[in-house]
Amino acid sequence: MKYRLMAFMAGRNGFDALSNTLIWASILAMFASRLIPNQVAHMIAYEISVLVFVYGYFRVMSRNLPKRHRENIAFVGFFQRRKLNFQQRKTHRFFGCPQCKATLRVPKGKGRITITCNCCGRQFTKRT
Ligand SMILES: [Zn+2]
């Protein structure tokens, strides 16, 4: 039985951070949707959480590994950047480049400074 499951899962994506989050969030949403008193809104919320659940399992069973891997990296990276920005919020400020939208980190408490984007070279002045 265990061997058959392993053979079935060979070459498939399996459970990654994004799939786990989708599946657990959809299960929570299915229970939470019971609290919605409006019958139509309840059904819509329930249907959406079922679709998210199905998509989570589609990712687990998928054989398109490079694409699923890129999705997972983008998902994990998004939260890692948020965490890093939050950890550094007292010592640094973050600005978006007006030209290429890259996020630039500068030390806090330096007054008005000219910031040079290290992606496109654009300069702009901000208070830190
Ligand atoms: Zn730039």
Side-chain angles (χ1 to χ4, degrees):
M1 184 60 205
K2 194 179 175 192
Y3 176 77
R4 283 182 62 184
L5 182 68
M6 277 168 64
F8 177 72
M9 289 305 290
R12 295 179 194 267
N13 189 44
F15 288 91
D16 58 17
L18 178 53
S19 297
N20 278 334
T21 306
L22 289 172
I23 290 165
W24 283 108
S26 65
I27 290 170
L28 286 176
M30 279 177 216
F31 284 108
S33 72
R34 292 173 175 222
L35 304 173
I36 299 173
N38 182 314
Q39 195 64 34
V40 176
H42 161 77
M43 283 310 292
I44 291 168
Y46 188 79
E47 298 286 315
I48 290 171
S49 47
V50 168
L51 286 176
V52 172
F53 184 84
V54 169
Y55 179 64
Y57 261 97
F58 156 76
R59 291 195 75 266
V60 170
M61 296 300 159
S62 172
R63 290 181 191 273
N64 188 350
L65 298 185
K67 197 174 176 192
R68 299 289 90 80
H69 187 67
R70 279 198 302 276
E71 291 166 357
N72 191 48
I73 291 294
F75 172 74
V76 172
F78 176 81
F79 285 101
Q80 279 175 344
R81 280 193 301 277
R82 286 293 122 94
K83 191 178 166 194
L84 209 63
N85 288 5
F86 187 75
Q87 285 169 345
Q88 297 177 339
R89 74 194 182 284
K90 287 195 172 130
T91 53
H92 293 83
R93 284 203 66 183
F94 295 86
F95 294 107
C97 170
Q99 191 165 311
C100 70
K101 310 290 179 220
T103 303
L104 305 170
R105 190 188 73 157
V106 294
K108 236 177 179 177
K110 302 284 180 196
R112 284 182 75 82
I113 58 170
T114 301
I115 301 164
T116 307
C117 175
N118 46 17
C119 286
C120 65
R122 166 84 187 257
Q123 293 196 325
F124 57 100
T125 307
K126 287 277 183 195
R127 263 186 68 87
T128 66

